[in-house]
């Protein structure tokens, strides 16, 4: 695997005084240097193999030519129905790392397509610190608008339209992807009227990556050796928040002082999932509780003892991971009418 160096995208720190030195690092795949350059490794953080047994077909499509952004489409090789729900899976990575091409995410999309009997859409988005927020949120919206374009063009991608049901679309996101999914739910509102003929029926927020200027109890008192520790959480936010903003940015804190009032919003059903040992647990639980108290259709599920990314990176074949898949399948069935 090779590394990719991107020069001069971060503000230089006294670059002329000394040779460039590393000022930030994330999971060994992102390194930021004092001269403003960035080195990204194409090697994923978990060395797993792609489990492509032919039961799921897939291909890549460009959805934003201006930024060379692609999405990966998946569908069962032998679908059980003429029309299948369309299920977006937006990957995580703290807004700084991750890709639709990582084997762990691709393997999870294979499972989603096969077990949910769905067309899965897995988009990439621009990463920080080269592209700080709201770039990733904007790209998530563009990925959904791409689907709308397939529904109205005279020459759609038949690979998708012959089997995908544009009236049963679900938006799912993992970690940072869960944050993107939340922001799409807020932007689009119930029924997603501006996306016709696409009809979003619900959102699945898997351990959504939220924050705030005040730390939660689970962040300060949670396990120190967890997969996503507090130091890494703070590093991700330091690299992804736009200059001059704080962790109370409405894109980051759903209930911050400048955030829109979700109590008055009409939003689609949401399934919210988190691990009991995830440092984000309290924020995610509070998110679901507030929406429930405001009368929104929200289901909150907590997996006792599980850490962040338990279903994609840590133990994707565990009983907990299988139970999560059943929950998602039930959620789709209950909200497809």
């Amino acid at each position: 695997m090779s590394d990719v160096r991107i020069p001069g995208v971060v503000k230089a720190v006294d670059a002329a005084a000394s040779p460039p030195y590393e000022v930030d690092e994330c999971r060994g795949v992102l390194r930021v240097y004092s001269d403003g350059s960035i080195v990204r490794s194409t090697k994923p953080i978990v060395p797993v193999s792609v489990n492509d047994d032919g039961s799921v077909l897939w291909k890549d499509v460009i959805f934003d030519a201006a930024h060379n952004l692609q999405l990966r489409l998946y569908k069962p090789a032998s679908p059980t129905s003429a029309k299948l729900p369309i299920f977006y899976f937006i990957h995580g990575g703290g807004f700084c790392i991750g890709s639709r091409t990582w084997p762990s995410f691709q393997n999870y999309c294979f499972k989603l397509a096969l077990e949910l009997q769905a067309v899965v859409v897995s988009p990439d988005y621009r990463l920080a610190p080269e592209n700080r927020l709201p770039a990733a949120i904007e790209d998530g919206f563009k990925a959904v608008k791409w689907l709308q374009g397939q529904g109205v063009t005279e020459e759609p991608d038949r690979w998708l339209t012959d089997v995908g049901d544009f009236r049963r679309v679900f938006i799912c996101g993992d970690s940072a992807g869960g944050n993107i999914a939340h922001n799409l739910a807020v932007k689009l509102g119930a029924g997603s009227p501006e996306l016709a003929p696409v009809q979003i029926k619900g959102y699945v927020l898997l351990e959504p990556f939220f924050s705030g200027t005040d730390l939660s109890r689970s962040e300060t008192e949670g396990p120190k050796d967890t997969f996503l520790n507090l130091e890494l959480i703070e590093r991700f936010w330091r690299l992804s928040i736009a200059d001059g903003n704080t962790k109370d940015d409405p894109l980051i804190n759903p209930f911050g002082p400048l955030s829109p009032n979700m109590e008055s919003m009409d939003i689609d059903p949401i399934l919210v999932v988190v691990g009991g040992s995830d440092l984000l647990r309290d924020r995610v639980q509070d998110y679901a509780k507030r929406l429930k108290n405001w009368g929104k259709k929200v289901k909150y599920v907590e997996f006792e003892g599980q850490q962040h990314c338990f279903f994609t990176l840590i133990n994707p074949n565990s009983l907990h991971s299988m139970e999560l898949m059943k929950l998602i399948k039930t959620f789709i069935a209950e909200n497809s009418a």
Side-chain angles (χ1 to χ4, degrees):
M1 297 288 184
S2 61
D3 293 344
V4 178
R5 178 175 287 276
I6 307 168
V9 294
V10 181
K11 183 180 179 181
V13 182
D14 196 19
S18 62
Y21 56 89
E22 186 177 292
V23 295
D24 261 313
E25 179 273 335
C26 293
R27 300 286 195 196
V29 298
L30 168 65
R31 300 183 186 279
V32 182
Y33 290 87
S34 58
D35 65 350
S37 64
I38 288 175
V39 173
R40 286 190 177 276
S41 172
T42 56
K43 183 179 180 180
I45 61 175
V46 178
V48 298
S49 300
V50 175
N51 300 325
D52 188 357
D53 60 6
S55 60
V56 174
L57 306 177
W58 60 277
K59 72 171 186 175
D60 288 327
V61 176
I62 293 178
F63 73 90
D64 181 1
H67 298 107
N68 193 30
L69 288 174
Q70 299 185 54
L71 52 81
R72 186 158 285 181
L73 296 171
Y74 303 81
K75 65 181 179 181
S78 301
T80 58
S81 175
K83 287 290 185 178
L84 303 178
I86 297 174
F87 190 87
Y88 272 73
F89 177 77
I90 308 173
H91 71 75
F95 293 111
C96 296
I97 59 177
S99 168
R100 77 191 189 288
T101 65
W102 278 14
S104 54
F105 294 140
Q106 185 163 2
N107 288 339
Y108 195 63
C109 287
F110 285 148
K111 290 182 178 181
L112 289 168
L114 200 59
E115 299 190 32
L116 301 180
Q117 282 295 294
V119 176
V120 175
V121 184
S122 179
D124 272 339
Y125 47 87
R126 285 171 290 169
L127 299 174
E130 305 97 306
N131 302 281
R132 294 176 179 263
L133 293 172
I137 313 295
E138 294 170 349
D139 295 340
F141 179 66
K142 289 178 184 177
V144 180
K145 289 290 287 185
W146 170 87
L147 182 65
Q148 180 191 36
Q150 293 301 308
V152 298
T153 182
E154 294 182 357
E155 298 182 0
D157 187 331
R158 307 297 304 190
W159 196 97
L160 166 70
T161 58
D162 282 352
V163 68
D165 187 350
F166 284 60
R167 299 168 301 171
R168 289 187 295 153
V169 178
F170 295 83
I171 308 294
C172 171
D174 167 32
S175 193
N179 175 299
I180 294 173
H182 154 76
N183 279 290
L184 290 178
V186 171
K187 176 180 177 60
L188 294 172
S192 49
E194 68 178 273
L195 291 179
V198 170
Q199 295 181 22
I200 297 177
K201 293 293 188 178
Y203 293 83
V204 179
L205 274 55
L206 305 176
E207 53 197 21
F209 196 42
F210 296 139
S211 192
T213 52
D214 296 326
L215 294 178
S216 69
R217 182 174 179 178
S218 62
E219 287 170 333
T220 58
E221 300 180 10
K224 306 302 179 185
D225 59 348
T226 187
F227 182 76
L228 181 68
N229 58 47
L230 184 59
E231 193 280 332
L232 186 56
I233 291 173
E234 293 298 296
R235 192 183 314 172
F236 280 145
W237 288 125
R238 183 172 68 249
L239 292 172
S240 61
I241 295 175
D243 291 340
N245 287 4
T246 71
K247 289 187 293 182
D248 277 336
D249 184 311
L251 298 178
I252 297 167
N253 183 355
F255 310 115
L258 300 178
S259 300
N261 180 10
M262 293 184 68
E263 182 177 7
S264 61
M265 292 182 181
D266 189 12
I267 58 177
D268 290 307
I270 302 177
L271 171 62
V272 182
V273 175
V274 73
S277 295
D278 191 332
L279 266 61
L280 300 177
R281 172 192 172 275
D282 286 359
R283 292 194 184 278
V284 176
Q285 183 186 58
D286 178 64
Y287 174 85
K289 184 178 180 180
R290 292 201 198 197
L291 294 187
K292 277 187 175 181
N293 289 342
W294 290 335
K296 314 305 179 188
K297 187 176 180 180
V298 176
K299 182 177 179 63
Y300 171 77
V301 180
E302 182 179 314
F303 284 85
E304 183 178 359
Q306 297 305 295
Q307 296 188 34
H308 200 75
C309 298
F310 71 90
F311 52 92
T312 54
L313 296 175
I314 295 177
N315 195 349
N317 298 315
S318 68
L319 292 176
H320 291 103
S321 299
M322 289 187 283
E323 183 60 30
L324 172 58
M325 189 66 71
K326 293 178 183 177
L327 280 170
I328 297 174
K329 189 172 184 178
T330 299
F331 179 79
I332 291 175
E334 291 176 345
N335 294 285
S336 286

